[in-house]
Amino acid sequence: MARWQDGRGELVVGGETGPRIPLEIATSYLARTKGLLGRDSVEGALLLSPANSIHTFRMRVPIDVAYLDHSLTVLAIRTMPPGRLGLPRLRSRHVVEAAAGAMAGWGVRVGERVEVRVGTASRPT
């Protein structure tokens, strides 16, 4: 299982030729607890690790949520409005959150394996 620290990186979808999305990485208890709470928008995506469920209480905008297993394969994708509690995914080890509709635009699909690169500059998608 990957071990990251709080910081920034990029989410790579679809291999070397796919989009690279700016990524905020939240692995500490404090960073995971704060997540996207209180934000009006999402710049790129947020990776919560470890995580197998999320909630959108006190959020201001709907979000896309991708549940990833230990090898970063997408198990499920959901769009969640504010004020909801997501069901835990038993095999999920990581969760990626983004603005509602972003995952489809990036080509994130169930069964696809994504990559997390730490400390790299993202190119526009």
Side-chain angles (χ1 to χ4, degrees), residues 81-104:
R84 299 296 167 99
L85 178 64
L87 295 174
R89 303 287 168 172
L90 296 178
R91 295 183 343 191
S92 178
R93 297 294 176 263
H94 318 283
V95 172
V96 176
E97 299 178 345
M103 300 273 181

Side-chain angles (χ1 to χ4, degrees), residues 1 7 13 18 21 23 25-26 30 33 39-40 44 53-54 64-65 67 79 87 89-90 96 100 110 119 122:
M1 180 157 102
V13 179
I21 295 94
L23 183 67
I25 301 169
L30 182 61
T33 302
R39 299 188 197 185
D40 290 324
S53 68
I54 62 110
D64 279 354
V65 180
Y67 298 89
T79 299
L87 295 174
R89 303 287 168 172
L90 296 178
V96 176
V110 172
S122 297

Side-chain angles (χ1 to χ4, degrees), residues 10-25:
E10 63 184 14
L11 182 71
V12 180
V13 179
E16 290 300 319
T17 60
R20 289 170 164 60
I21 295 94
L23 183 67
E24 184 178 338
I25 301 169

Side-chain angles (χ1 to χ4, degrees), residues 34-42 55-64 80-84 97-100:
K34 184 171 190 299
L36 296 176
L37 296 178
R39 299 188 197 185
D40 290 324
S41 64
V42 182
H55 68 81
T56 59
F57 299 123
R58 295 186 357 207
M59 286 193 177
R60 299 176 181 166
V61 296
I63 60 171
D64 279 354
M80 294 180 61
R84 299 296 167 99
E97 299 178 345

Side-chain angles (χ1 to χ4, degrees), residues 1 3 26-28 32 48-53 92-95:
M1 180 157 102
R3 300 257 182 215
T27 61
S28 69
R32 284 181 293 140
L48 303 171
S49 180
N52 68 356
S53 68
S92 178
R93 297 294 176 263
H94 318 283
V95 172

